[in-house]
């Protein structure tokens, strides 16, 4: 079974620009979560989507947004990029509430490395 | 108090020894607990899930859960240099919440 895929893998943007990252979950998984990982802050939760609805949101400014499509694929967008947005952005998929005990077993994609200059 | 706390390490053990990684959590109603392994430059990989009090074994890995003490641990037996990585504890609160990770180095 194919794993979680993320595109692009690497991205270099200039401060003030915007960026859209894409995530395709494992087949059958209906929940997608996004995380930001930096050396100083570790894994920080951005948001979680299930069946096209945002279920939870982390403590990030409104410049960070996301959405999920009917096929469970998800995108996140960051507008007005700042230098501090340089990070590894990780997407993880899981069964969601339909998965019983395994609902929250999350499987990560390879990540998108964003560099803001 | 952080929701999920881990000793940041680094932790070094000799090859063949038992590595013990610990994690505490603050939300008493948490029911699902996970350990992830992350190699440098890679994304986290799920290695253990545990949902009930007690021990769960999978190969060289044993996860231990004590809900009364709000404590979950990971034991790695016969540690190998390939086990050198950062180990992340994760607990379901409102969403999956990760600890800051413990960096493990297994010395040949």
């Amino acid at each position: 079974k194919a794993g979680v895929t993320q595109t692009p893998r690497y991205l270099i943007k200039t401060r003030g620009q915007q960026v859209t990252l894409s995530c395709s979950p494992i087949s059958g998984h209906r929940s997608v979560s996004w995380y930001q990982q930096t050396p100083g802050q570790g894994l920080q939760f951005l948001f979680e989507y299930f069946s096209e609805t945002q279920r939870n949101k982390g403590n990030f400014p409104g410049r960070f947004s996301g959405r999920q499509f009917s096929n469970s694929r998800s995108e996140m967008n960051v507008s007005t990029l700042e230098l501090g947005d340089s990070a590894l952005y990780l997407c993880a998929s899981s069964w969601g509430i339909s998965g019983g005990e395994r609902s929250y077993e999350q499987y990560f994609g390879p990540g998108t490395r964003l560099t803001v200059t | 108090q952080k929701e999920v706390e881990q000793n940041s390490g680094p932790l070094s053990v000799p090859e063949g020894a038992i590595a013990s990684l610990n994690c505490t959590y603050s939300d008493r109603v948490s029911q699902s607990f996970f350990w992830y392994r992350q190699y440098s430059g890679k994304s986290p990989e799920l290695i253990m899930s545990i949902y009930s009090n007690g021990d769960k074994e999978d190969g060289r890995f044993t996860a231990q859960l004590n809900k009364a003490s709000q404590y979950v641990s990971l034991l790695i037996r016969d540690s190998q240099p390939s086990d050198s990585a950062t180990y992340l504890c994760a607990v379901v609160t409102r969403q999956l919440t990760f600890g800051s990770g413990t960096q493990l180095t297994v010395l040949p």
Side-chain angles (χ1 to χ4, degrees):
Chain A
K1 188 155 75 167
V4 179
T5 59
Q6 291 186 246
T7 57
R9 293 292 311 279
Y10 302 92
L11 207 48
I12 299 175
K13 289 288 189 178
T14 303
R15 195 170 50 183
Q17 288 185 314
Q18 74 165 15
V19 66
T20 299
L21 311 181
S22 181
C23 172
S24 292
I26 291 171
S27 178
H29 282 188
R30 296 170 62 189
S31 178
V32 172
S33 297
W34 288 90
Y35 298 88
Q36 181 195 67
Q37 189 172 40
T38 58
Q41 297 296 318
L43 260 177
Q44 300 290 309
F45 172 74
L46 281 157
F47 21 68
E48 177 191 4
Y49 287 89
F50 178 80
S51 292
E52 303 178 67
T53 301
Q54 187 179 88
R55 294 187 64 208
N56 287 298
K57 188 177 192 302
N59 188 25
F60 278 82
R63 301 185 296 108
F64 292 81
S65 63
R67 58 178 176 169
Q68 186 181 33
F69 302 97
S70 58
N71 61 358
S72 295
R73 193 177 67 84
S74 178
E75 290 181 347
M76 67 162 283
N77 184 78
V78 188
S79 63
T80 319
L81 284 166
E82 300 177 359
L83 295 178
D85 297 332
S86 295
L88 179 66
Y89 289 88
L90 291 160
C91 162
S93 77
S94 64
W95 292 104
I97 59 175
S98 57
E101 191 175 67
R102 300 182 63 189
S103 292
Y104 282 95
E105 287 186 2
Q106 290 189 2
Y107 297 86
F108 283 84
T112 295
R113 174 77 61 186
L114 172 65
T115 302
V116 182
T117 62
Chain B
Q1 181 186 7
K2 288 184 180 178
E3 291 183 89
V4 181
E5 294 206 56
Q6 297 181 248
N7 292 331
S8 59
L11 174 66
S12 294
V13 300
E15 184 174 355
I18 295 175
S20 177
L21 305 163
N22 304 314
C23 173
T24 58
Y25 60 94
S26 61
D27 190 345
R28 287 193 166 275
V29 302
S30 298
Q31 295 294 322
S32 303
F33 308 86
F34 307 94
W35 284 98
Y36 285 80
R37 176 177 63 197
Q38 186 173 24
Y39 292 113
S40 181
K42 301 292 186 182
S43 60
E45 173 193 10
L46 178 64
I47 56 172
M48 289 290 283
S49 307
I50 188 165
Y51 306 101
S52 305
N53 276 329
D55 295 359
K56 179 181 177 182
E57 188 175 312
D58 184 0
R60 296 185 296 110
F61 297 97
T62 299
Q64 299 174 317
L65 175 61
N66 184 326
K67 291 184 181 179
S69 300
Q70 294 174 239
Y71 176 92
V72 58
S73 65
L74 180 70
L75 301 178
I76 306 174
R77 291 184 301 282
D78 187 25
S79 295
Q80 301 297 308
S82 59
D83 295 326
S84 297
T86 297
Y87 289 81
L88 299 163
C89 171
V91 177
V92 175
T93 54
R94 294 181 308 282
Q95 68 273 338
L96 191 58
T97 302
F98 287 82
S100 55
T102 298
Q103 186 178 346
L104 171 67
T105 300
V106 180
L107 304 169

